[in-house]
Amino acid sequence: MRSKFDEQLENLNKALIQMGALCEEAIENSAGALMTGNFELAEKAIMIDEKIDQKEREIENLCLRLLLQQQPVAGDLRLISAALKMITDMERIGDQAADISDIIIIGKIRAENGTLYIGDMANATIKMVTQSIDAFVNRDLKLAVAVIDYDDAVDELFTRVRNELIKRIENKTVNGEYAIDLIMIAKYFERIGDHATNIAEWVEFAITGRHRGEGDA
Amino acid sequence: MRSKFDEQLENLNKALIQMGALCEEAIENSAGALMTGNFELAEKAIMIDEKIDQKEREIENLCLRLLLQQQPVAGDLRLISAALKMITDMERIGDQAADISDIIIIGKIRAENGTLYIGDMANATIKMVTQSIDAFVNRDLKLAVAVIDYDDAVDELFTRVRNELIKRIENKTVNGEYAIDLIMIAKYFERIGDHATNIAEWVEFAITGRHRGEGDA
């Protein structure tokens, strides 16, 4: 029984890595659309979000089968519970990449000079997602904690975008629709960072059995 | 066994009503702070959010006890699963009322004339939360569907706030920080509406066994 269980656990790891990779791809495409004005990338992010939703259901089923058929011991139970929570956060990351893409397509917007650290936000959140999944797969507590700490950098970037936009509104050097769209997009990236933090907190829980508080994103 | 189960199910109903009432109170207080400039109301919303978090854990434990001890039949299992999902959405509504309050306190902002349909957003979302919980307790499918349909009204109000702010930025008749803060607040109210919609969709699932798609908020 145990070796069957370990095999299914290995499948769970693989599926989580795939779902994480899809999240990264969705973020990359929505950020790419924003930076280059290539709206096809935004369409692509929306399609990837659908794949992420499918992957969530697939992993949910896998976890439920593991729970029902294998009667896992406490440590494995924690691992599976953590996986179930993580995929909820990954699903929301996909939603947010799609939301960003919707704004880009509807508003036909492209990031102007001076608001480009929104690209840094995208890169930072991609890194957080990758590392949080790596931390799960390798049971790497140190990496999980690093992801959690790194969220401050994303929050700091959001504040910079916000302040830049406020300055431009005050200077009357910004289009109103652009300003409103861009602050929304920055907020979605900030929330992606929050969800990546949640994922890392669930990894921490899977390893240590302690959770620092439910996800607030 | 069944009567003990029914008694615990009744406790679950009561706890959900209490949690719903706390959500309404949190929204009311954050909206009140925004409309009147009374920041104590914003502080109160933040305290209520903590009570909501406690209530979530209480209900989660109640649901897990029901699942483990009573071996529920399919219909009851669906009811308990729905309750577990509903409290996640209610917990997020509490977070968002607290987030609105944070913005109000930090930015010392108060809604100016002409952006007052943000008050309508608050009232609309309070109504949605109340009715979705009522729908659960009374197994009222029609009411659940009405809540889901009503979300369009909240989205429409968000668009009005957005357009008004864009116009003011273009007219150069708005303070930049105020504009950015207010669109964030409007977005949080819109998300509260999304979560109330999710709750109503879980009620629909509890009654019919069909779910129209995972919550996207």
Side-chain angles (χ1 to χ4, degrees):
Chain A
M1 274 308 258
R2 281 306 292 174
S3 81
K4 174 85 188 301
F5 185 82
D6 288 340
E7 192 188 298
Q8 290 202 346
L9 223 49
E10 192 45 46
N11 288 340
L12 176 61
N13 275 347
K14 276 185 201 150
L16 285 170
I17 293 171
Q18 286 164 358
M19 191 171 175
L22 286 171
C23 288
E24 290 155 32
E25 224 185 303
I27 304 170
E28 263 167 19
N29 278 286
S30 58
L34 185 65
M35 292 300 145
T36 63
N38 177 355
F39 300 139
E40 279 177 25
L41 297 178
E43 302 278 6
K44 207 174 157 197
I46 293 169
M47 286 189 319
I48 296 168
D49 177 40
E50 287 170 22
K51 284 195 206 167
I52 291 173
D53 291 348
Q54 281 168 22
K55 201 46 113 179
E56 187 198 17
R57 285 188 292 271
E58 186 188 316
I59 296 177
E60 205 165 43
N61 285 334
L62 186 57
C63 287
L64 292 180
R65 272 204 309 277
L66 272 166
L67 286 176
L68 291 175
Q69 294 169 3
Q70 310 285 353
Q71 311 210 319
V73 296
D76 293 329
L77 190 62
R78 220 161 56 207
L79 213 71
I80 298 164
S81 313
L84 278 169
K85 295 285 191 175
M86 286 164 63
I87 57 175
T88 306
D89 281 298
M90 284 196 263
E91 189 263 335
R92 299 203 179 228
I93 288 173
D95 286 343
Q96 278 143 17
D99 286 336
I100 291 170
S101 298
D102 280 338
I103 295 176
I104 293 169
I105 293 168
I106 295 169
K108 296 192 178 53
I109 76 157
R110 178 178 171 177
E112 294 165 7
N113 285 334
T115 45
L116 289 180
Y117 19 66
I118 212 162
D120 298 330
M121 289 189 88
N123 290 334
T125 54
I126 289 169
K127 184 177 146 190
M128 287 174 78
V129 173
T130 316
Q131 293 190 339
S132 60
I133 306 294
D134 282 355
F136 181 83
V137 171
N138 301 316
R139 313 279 179 268
D140 184 340
L141 183 60
K142 218 169 138 184
L143 189 58
V145 173
V147 172
I148 296 166
D149 292 341
Y150 194 68
D151 192 40
D152 290 340
V154 176
D155 291 346
E156 169 64 26
L157 286 167
F158 172 74
T159 303
R160 277 200 215 173
V161 175
R162 181 178 177 277
N163 291 345
E164 174 69 23
L165 285 170
I166 290 172
K167 205 173 74 191
R168 289 192 186 194
I169 294 173
E170 292 298 301
N171 290 347
K172 311 183 192 330
T173 57
V174 74
N175 172 285
E177 193 149 7
Y178 175 78
I180 295 292
D181 281 349
L182 208 68
I183 192 72
M184 286 294 145
I185 290 173
K187 186 68 190 174
Y188 280 123
F189 278 118
E190 193 225 33
R191 284 180 58 206
I192 290 177
D194 290 339
H195 285 295
T197 304
N198 289 349
I199 295 172
E201 286 181 359
W202 287 116
V203 174
E204 191 180 45
F205 167 78
I207 300 171
T208 66
R210 287 185 310 276
H211 192 271
R212 33 180 112 188
E214 292 290 314
D216 292 328
Chain B
M1 276 309 257
R2 280 307 291 176
S3 81
K4 174 85 189 300
F5 184 82
D6 289 340
E7 192 187 299
Q8 291 202 344
L9 222 48
E10 192 46 46
N11 288 340
L12 176 60
N13 276 345
K14 276 185 201 151
L16 284 170
I17 293 171
Q18 286 163 358
M19 192 172 175
L22 286 171
C23 289
E24 292 155 31
E25 222 183 306
I27 304 170
E28 264 167 19
N29 277 285
S30 57
L34 185 64
M35 292 300 144
T36 64
N38 178 354
F39 300 139
E40 279 176 24
L41 297 179
E43 302 279 6
K44 207 174 154 194
I46 292 168
M47 284 187 324
I48 295 168
D49 177 41
E50 288 171 22
K51 283 194 206 168
I52 292 173
D53 291 349
Q54 282 168 22
K55 200 47 110 180
E56 188 198 16
R57 285 188 291 272
E58 187 189 315
I59 296 177
E60 205 165 42
N61 285 335
L62 186 57
C63 287
L64 291 180
R65 273 204 309 277
L66 272 166
L67 286 176
L68 291 176
Q69 295 169 4
Q70 310 285 352
Q71 309 210 318
V73 296
D76 293 329
L77 191 62
R78 221 162 57 207
L79 213 69
I80 298 165
S81 312
L84 278 169
K85 294 284 191 174
M86 286 165 62
I87 57 174
T88 305
D89 281 299
M90 284 198 264
E91 190 262 336
R92 297 203 181 228
I93 288 174
D95 286 344
Q96 279 143 16
D99 286 337
I100 291 170
S101 298
D102 280 338
I103 295 176
I104 294 170
I105 292 169
I106 295 168
K108 296 194 178 52
I109 77 155
R110 178 179 172 175
E112 294 165 8
N113 285 333
T115 44
L116 289 181
Y117 19 65
I118 212 162
D120 298 331
M121 290 189 89
N123 291 333
T125 54
I126 288 170
K127 186 177 146 188
M128 288 174 78
V129 173
T130 315
Q131 292 190 341
S132 60
I133 306 295
D134 282 354
F136 181 83
V137 171
N138 301 314
R139 313 279 179 267
D140 185 339
L141 183 60
K142 220 169 134 184
L143 189 59
V145 173
V147 172
I148 296 166
D149 292 341
Y150 194 69
D151 192 41
D152 290 341
V154 176
D155 291 347
E156 169 64 27
L157 286 167
F158 172 74
T159 304
R160 277 201 215 171
V161 175
R162 180 178 176 279
N163 292 346
E164 173 70 24
L165 284 171
I166 290 172
K167 206 173 73 192
R168 287 191 186 195
I169 293 173
E170 292 299 300
N171 290 346
K172 309 183 194 326
T173 56
V174 74
N175 171 285
E177 192 149 8
Y178 175 78
I180 295 293
D181 282 348
L182 208 67
I183 193 70
M184 285 295 146
I185 290 173
K187 187 70 189 173
Y188 280 123
F189 277 117
E190 193 225 35
R191 284 179 59 206
I192 290 176
D194 289 341
H195 285 294
T197 304
N198 288 350
I199 295 172
E201 286 181 359
W202 287 116
V203 174
E204 191 180 45
F205 167 78
I207 300 171
T208 66
R210 289 185 311 275
H211 193 269
R212 32 179 111 189
E214 293 289 318
D216 292 329

Short mmCIF file of all heavy atoms in Angstrom, two decimals, chain A residues 13 41 61-62 85 117 125 156 174 182 187 189 192 195 197 200 209:
data_model
loop_
_atom_site.label_atom_id
_atom_site.label_comp_id
_atom_site.label_asym_id
_atom_site.label_seq_id
_atom_site.Cartn_x
_atom_site.Cartn_y
_atom_site.Cartn_z
N ASN A 13 3.06 15.77 -6.74
CA ASN A 13 4.17 16.72 -6.91
C ASN A 13 4.27 17.20 -8.35
O ASN A 13 4.38 18.39 -8.62
CB ASN A 13 5.51 16.03 -6.54
CG ASN A 13 5.78 16.09 -5.06
OD1 ASN A 13 5.12 16.84 -4.33
ND2 ASN A 13 6.73 15.30 -4.61
N LEU A 41 -0.79 38.27 -26.42
CA LEU A 41 -0.26 37.70 -25.18
C LEU A 41 -1.32 37.73 -24.08
O LEU A 41 -1.43 36.81 -23.26
CB LEU A 41 0.99 38.46 -24.73
CG LEU A 41 2.19 38.42 -25.69
CD1 LEU A 41 3.35 39.25 -25.13
CD2 LEU A 41 2.66 36.98 -25.91
N ASN A 61 -9.13 16.21 -7.31
CA ASN A 61 -9.56 14.81 -7.38
C ASN A 61 -8.47 13.86 -6.90
O ASN A 61 -8.74 12.91 -6.17
CB ASN A 61 -9.95 14.45 -8.82
CG ASN A 61 -11.29 15.04 -9.19
OD1 ASN A 61 -12.12 15.30 -8.31
ND2 ASN A 61 -11.51 15.29 -10.47
N LEU A 62 -7.25 14.16 -7.31
CA LEU A 62 -6.10 13.34 -6.91
C LEU A 62 -5.97 13.35 -5.38
O LEU A 62 -5.79 12.29 -4.75
CB LEU A 62 -4.84 13.90 -7.57
CG LEU A 62 -3.53 13.14 -7.42
CD1 LEU A 62 -3.67 11.71 -7.91
CD2 LEU A 62 -2.41 13.84 -8.20
N LYS A 85 -5.01 23.48 -0.26
CA LYS A 85 -5.05 24.93 -0.04
C LYS A 85 -4.22 25.65 -1.11
O LYS A 85 -4.62 26.70 -1.62
CB LYS A 85 -4.49 25.26 1.35
CG LYS A 85 -5.31 24.73 2.51
CD LYS A 85 -6.58 25.56 2.70
CE LYS A 85 -7.27 25.22 4.00
NZ LYS A 85 -8.43 26.10 4.25
N TYR A 117 8.11 49.84 -13.31
CA TYR A 117 8.36 48.86 -12.25
C TYR A 117 7.17 47.95 -12.06
O TYR A 117 7.18 47.07 -11.23
CB TYR A 117 8.81 49.47 -10.92
CG TYR A 117 8.51 50.90 -10.75
CD1 TYR A 117 7.20 51.33 -10.68
CD2 TYR A 117 9.54 51.84 -10.66
CE1 TYR A 117 6.93 52.67 -10.53
CE2 TYR A 117 9.26 53.16 -10.52
CZ TYR A 117 7.94 53.59 -10.45
OH TYR A 117 7.66 54.89 -10.32
N THR A 125 6.71 38.43 -8.77
CA THR A 125 5.67 37.46 -8.42
C THR A 125 5.93 36.12 -9.12
O THR A 125 5.65 35.07 -8.54
CB THR A 125 4.26 37.98 -8.77
OG1 THR A 125 4.23 38.36 -10.14
CG2 THR A 125 3.89 39.17 -7.90
N GLU A 156 6.26 46.99 -1.75
CA GLU A 156 7.04 48.23 -1.95
C GLU A 156 6.91 48.70 -3.41
O GLU A 156 6.72 49.89 -3.66
CB GLU A 156 8.50 47.93 -1.58
CG GLU A 156 9.52 49.00 -1.95
CD GLU A 156 9.30 50.30 -1.22
OE1 GLU A 156 8.73 50.27 -0.11
OE2 GLU A 156 9.67 51.36 -1.78
N VAL A 174 -1.31 62.75 -16.87
CA VAL A 174 -1.72 61.37 -17.12
C VAL A 174 -3.16 61.34 -17.62
O VAL A 174 -3.98 62.19 -17.24
CB VAL A 174 -1.57 60.51 -15.84
CG1 VAL A 174 -2.65 60.82 -14.81
CG2 VAL A 174 -1.57 59.01 -16.16
N LEU A 182 -4.15 51.31 -14.67
CA LEU A 182 -2.83 50.87 -14.24
C LEU A 182 -2.78 50.59 -12.73
O LEU A 182 -2.12 49.63 -12.30
CB LEU A 182 -1.75 51.89 -14.63
CG LEU A 182 -0.39 51.24 -14.82
CD1 LEU A 182 -0.39 50.34 -16.06
CD2 LEU A 182 0.71 52.28 -14.94
N LYS A 187 -2.52 46.56 -8.51
CA LYS A 187 -3.17 45.91 -7.35
C LYS A 187 -3.29 44.41 -7.59
O LYS A 187 -3.10 43.62 -6.67
CB LYS A 187 -4.55 46.54 -7.13
CG LYS A 187 -5.27 46.08 -5.88
CD LYS A 187 -4.58 46.58 -4.62
CE LYS A 187 -5.15 45.94 -3.37
NZ LYS A 187 -4.39 46.31 -2.16
N PHE A 189 -1.29 42.55 -9.40
CA PHE A 189 0.04 41.96 -9.19
C PHE A 189 0.34 41.85 -7.70
O PHE A 189 0.91 40.86 -7.25
CB PHE A 189 1.13 42.78 -9.90
CG PHE A 189 1.27 42.46 -11.37
CD1 PHE A 189 1.04 43.42 -12.34
CD2 PHE A 189 1.64 41.18 -11.77
CE1 PHE A 189 1.15 43.11 -13.69
CE2 PHE A 189 1.76 40.87 -13.12
CZ PHE A 189 1.51 41.84 -14.08
N ILE A 192 -1.36 38.88 -6.47
CA ILE A 192 -0.65 37.65 -6.89
C ILE A 192 0.47 37.37 -5.89
O ILE A 192 0.67 36.23 -5.46
CB ILE A 192 -0.12 37.78 -8.33
CG1 ILE A 192 -1.29 37.77 -9.34
CG2 ILE A 192 0.86 36.65 -8.65
CD1 ILE A 192 -0.88 37.97 -10.80
N HIS A 195 -0.98 35.84 -2.82
CA HIS A 195 -1.33 34.42 -2.99
C HIS A 195 -0.08 33.54 -3.00
O HIS A 195 -0.10 32.43 -2.47
CB HIS A 195 -2.15 34.23 -4.27
CG HIS A 195 -3.55 34.70 -4.13
ND1 HIS A 195 -4.45 34.12 -3.26
CD2 HIS A 195 -4.23 35.73 -4.70
CE1 HIS A 195 -5.61 34.76 -3.32
NE2 HIS A 195 -5.50 35.74 -4.18
N THR A 197 2.55 34.20 -1.36
CA THR A 197 2.90 34.14 0.07
C THR A 197 2.05 33.09 0.77
O THR A 197 2.56 32.30 1.58
CB THR A 197 2.66 35.52 0.72
OG1 THR A 197 3.41 36.50 0.00
CG2 THR A 197 3.09 35.53 2.18
N ALA A 200 3.44 29.72 0.05
CA ALA A 200 4.64 29.46 0.84
C ALA A 200 4.28 29.16 2.30
O ALA A 200 4.91 28.32 2.95
CB ALA A 200 5.59 30.65 0.76
N GLY A 209 3.96 21.76 10.45
CA GLY A 209 2.71 21.55 11.19
C GLY A 209 2.17 22.84 11.80
O GLY A 209 1.11 22.85 12.41
#
